[in-house]
Amino acid sequence: MNLKRVLDLYDQILKQGHRNEIARELRDEDDLFLILCYSDMLGIPNPAFYYTLELYPHMLERFHEWHLRMGMDKSPINGFRCC
C-alpha cells in the first residue's frame, strides 16, 4: 500500500461521521460570503463593494441556489435577476 492510499484512508476515517457537519459548515461559510458580497445591494454598507463587483458573474448560479434554498421563488434583490 503506497503512502497516498494510506493518507486517503486516514482522511476518510477522520471524516466518517462528520460529513454532515462539514457540509453544513461549508454551506454556512458560503452563505456568509454571499451576504458579505451582496450586502451593499441589501442596504448594508460594504466598503469592499467595488472589489466584489467582479465576482458577481461567477456567483450568480450560487446566489440562485441560495435564494431557492431559503424559500424565495424570486431574487430578493430588486433589479438583480438571476432566474
Side-chain angles (χ1 to χ4, degrees), residues 46-82:
N46 180 3
F49 177 72
Y50 175 76
Y51 300 105
T52 59
L53 281 174
E54 294 179 10
L55 297 174
Y56 291 168
H58 303 288
M59 297 175 54
L60 196 57
E61 188 170 323
R62 291 173 57 194
F63 180 78
H64 179 70
E65 293 171 1
W66 173 79
H67 79 72
L68 289 178
R69 188 164 39 93
M70 293 296 146
M72 297 177 248
D73 294 335
K74 302 281 182 182
S75 171
I77 300 173
N78 290 337
F80 190 80
R81 297 181 58 192
C82 64

Side-chain angles (χ1 to χ4, degrees), residues 12-78:
Q12 289 177 4
I13 290 171
L14 287 178
K15 288 180 180 176
Q16 190 70 26
H18 300 287
R19 291 184 193 276
N20 289 338
E21 294 174 34
I22 292 170
R24 189 180 63 233
E25 287 289 326
L26 289 174
R27 192 176 55 233
D28 289 348
E29 287 180 8
D30 281 348
D31 289 350
L32 179 61
F33 185 71
L34 278 174
I35 288 172
L36 288 174
C37 289
Y38 292 102
S39 63
D40 206 58
M41 291 182 177
L42 296 171
I44 302 168
N46 180 3
F49 177 72
Y50 175 76
Y51 300 105
T52 59
L53 281 174
E54 294 179 10
L55 297 174
Y56 291 168
H58 303 288
M59 297 175 54
L60 196 57
E61 188 170 323
R62 291 173 57 194
F63 180 78
H64 179 70
E65 293 171 1
W66 173 79
H67 79 72
L68 289 178
R69 188 164 39 93
M70 293 296 146
M72 297 177 248
D73 294 335
K74 302 281 182 182
S75 171
I77 300 173
N78 290 337

